Amino acid sequence: MGQPTLDELATLRWSRRDVLKLGAASSLARLVGLSQTACTTMGGAARGTPALGFKSVPISSADTVVVPEGYTSRVFFAWGDPVSDGPLFKPDASNTSDDQALQAGMHHDGMNFFPLPPGSNNADHGLLVLNHEYLDQRLLYPDAMKTWSAEKLLKAQNAVGCAVIEVKREAGQWKVVRPSPYARRITSRTPMAIGGPARGSALMRTAADPAGVEVLGTHSNCANGFTPWGTYLTCEENIHSHFAQPTGKPTARQTRYRVWPSSGYRWHEFDERFNIDKHPNEFNRFGWIVEFDPFDPTSKPVKRTALGRCAHESAFHTLATDGRVVIYTGDDARFEYIYKFVSRDAYNPKDRAANRDLLDHGTLYAGKFHADGAGTWLPLVHGQLGLTAANGFADQADVLVHVKLAGEHVGATKMDRPEWIVIHPKTGEVYASLTNNSQRGTEGKAGKDAANPRDKNVYGQIVRWREAGNDAAATSFNWDLFVLAGDPAHPDPAQRGNIKGDAFACPDTLRFAPDGTLWIGTDIGIPGRGDYVNLGNNQLLAVDSVSGQVRRFLTGPRGCEITGLTFTPDGKTAFVNIQHPGEFSEDRQADPISNWPSGAAGARPRSATIVITRDDGGVIGT
Ligand code: FEO
Ligand code: CA
Ligand code: CA
Ligand code: CA
């Protein structure tokens, strides 16, 4: 079958959309001659999605955060700010490694608000848990990388991982509670247990840990998730960037996991576990989803190997009809896969401790998106679908450590860089952002398919699906393309997308507000240039998921990505992360394109959490 045209895809999209939204009712409607519009309207009314109630902000190239009239944003927790009553940030970056271990790390990413007390719906007091994805070592030290030392390495290792801060609204104003018994930094040196089928596997054993049961630290923590029992899930994504293999002779499997001869971070020069020549299995101990209890600062994080090892982006959960836990995650690399984990045992809402190791047992699947809008979840189970020793998979641990190869072996669909995956709070539909894939259709690479319908896809799309029988544990689903991002003024019609409303590109962060509005944070790699010249700085947009209408809510400072969006349970406060302002400056220190948030000439740009409220105290976006 030939590749569908965009028009054919639009037809497919709308016909699938009916099925997704209205199920059997829509088929009936078509039989009795109700129009498409009538079907959509019926669906919208039934779902009660509120209309977007703010005026769009224009695109921006200014070095500031812009929000709509009637809203206020404020810098809340920036790189170097203390998590508790520890040392303050020094603007010349002269804080020590010990200081850094008590302060916000760099490059804030995925984030979640957990109400206090645990399990409540309190919208005025809670824990904010966030990832510090990666580093700009040129900003981390006074002399940038002109020298390199063990002390500088320690500061770098303490500037990644996660932070837990206690936050409270008093007299209408949000503040970080200092000191706080909950405050915590998790770093690249925090001891963590290895859980699940790869625990103790030969692939996980190292000189420092011959049993293969404990690893030091996490890094490359991109997006995230949380569980019904109140734990946080942090996703290890671009792990390869911290490792080096100086001899430069990767195995085929290491190549698939992007092992490089050098690392710009230079960690391996003072911490030899990051030297793959010396400690090849240390690399296998990263690329996992890590679970920890944010309410207990002494709790030991656990790497949950049952969810596979890849460039994990998010880890969003729901419950199957029978109470088993389902977690969706994606592998953010070109031509990689979307995964679904279904736990073996059901969630126990009455006994928190009973859920402690729920994520260690279950079945991992990879998604296949068929051209007709159907989908199949392919089990990644040793002994099934050719995942056998004869085909190079020694056991289940091997399948999970090398899950990219397992996904390929079973014939999953090669996607355009899966980023966040979220679930509509009212319909159960699952939405996944596919941020871009400029290599699709280029020489030697896979060409477009129904779910990834553009070659040289620089703008990205959002795909969504509904599980068969509305049961998240189902092994089949129906999908459609929710939106193709693009620039409506692009000279090539195929690149204009089909956005209804404000243009955007490279969807990355997704989050549903409690009211069912879908929010999109964008991550154009180098904004304002080339294909992105008309789209300005990265943005946060709100989408009515019934009508598909998109409105631009926020524009960020220069060079940043917008990520980490989380709401309080009442929807009246949004916390948003402004990640890596100033990235792609020619010279970070002498001439950064951003001095945000300080604004002072020469100030180092700092990633930061901002807090957004409506001046009249209403629900954000409505
Ligand atoms: Fe760290 Fe895929 O974004
Ligand atoms: Ca990021
Ligand atoms: Ca991301
Ligand atoms: Ca991204």
Side-chain angles (χ1 to χ4, degrees), residues 194 198-214 285:
I194 297 169
R199 178 180 169 87
S201 148
L203 292 165
M204 302 293 269
R205 296 178 201 152
T206 63
D209 174 32
V213 297
E214 187 184 87
R285 292 140 64 89

Side-chain angles (χ1 to χ4, degrees), residues 55-101:
K55 197 172 146 206
S56 292
V57 298
I59 65 159
S60 167
S61 56
D63 191 28
T64 191
V65 171
V66 179
V67 292
E69 289 169 24
Y71 286 83
T72 299
S73 79
R74 190 164 62 81
V75 177
F76 189 64
F77 183 61
W79 161 52
D81 285 347
V83 294
S84 186
D85 54 354
L88 298 177
F89 176 69
K90 294 180 179 169
D92 65 354
S94 62
N95 288 102
T96 64
S97 62
D98 287 343
D99 291 350
Q100 181 62 76

Side-chain angles (χ1 to χ4, degrees), residues 459-494:
Y459 291 118
Q461 66 266 23
I462 296 174
V463 65
R464 69 174 166 186
W465 61 90
R466 180 185 286 261
E467 300 285 2
N470 282 333
D471 183 357
T475 54
S476 62
F477 59 95
N478 286 316
W479 67 271
D480 77 343
L481 285 168
F482 178 60
V483 65
L484 290 171
D487 175 1
H490 199 287
D492 176 0

Side-chain angles (χ1 to χ4, degrees), residues 109 133-134 222 508 523 561 563 579-580:
D109 207 315
E133 185 186 19
Y134 66 107
C222 193
D508 185 337
D523 178 18
E561 165 189 343
T563 183
Q579 190 189 47
H580 61 67

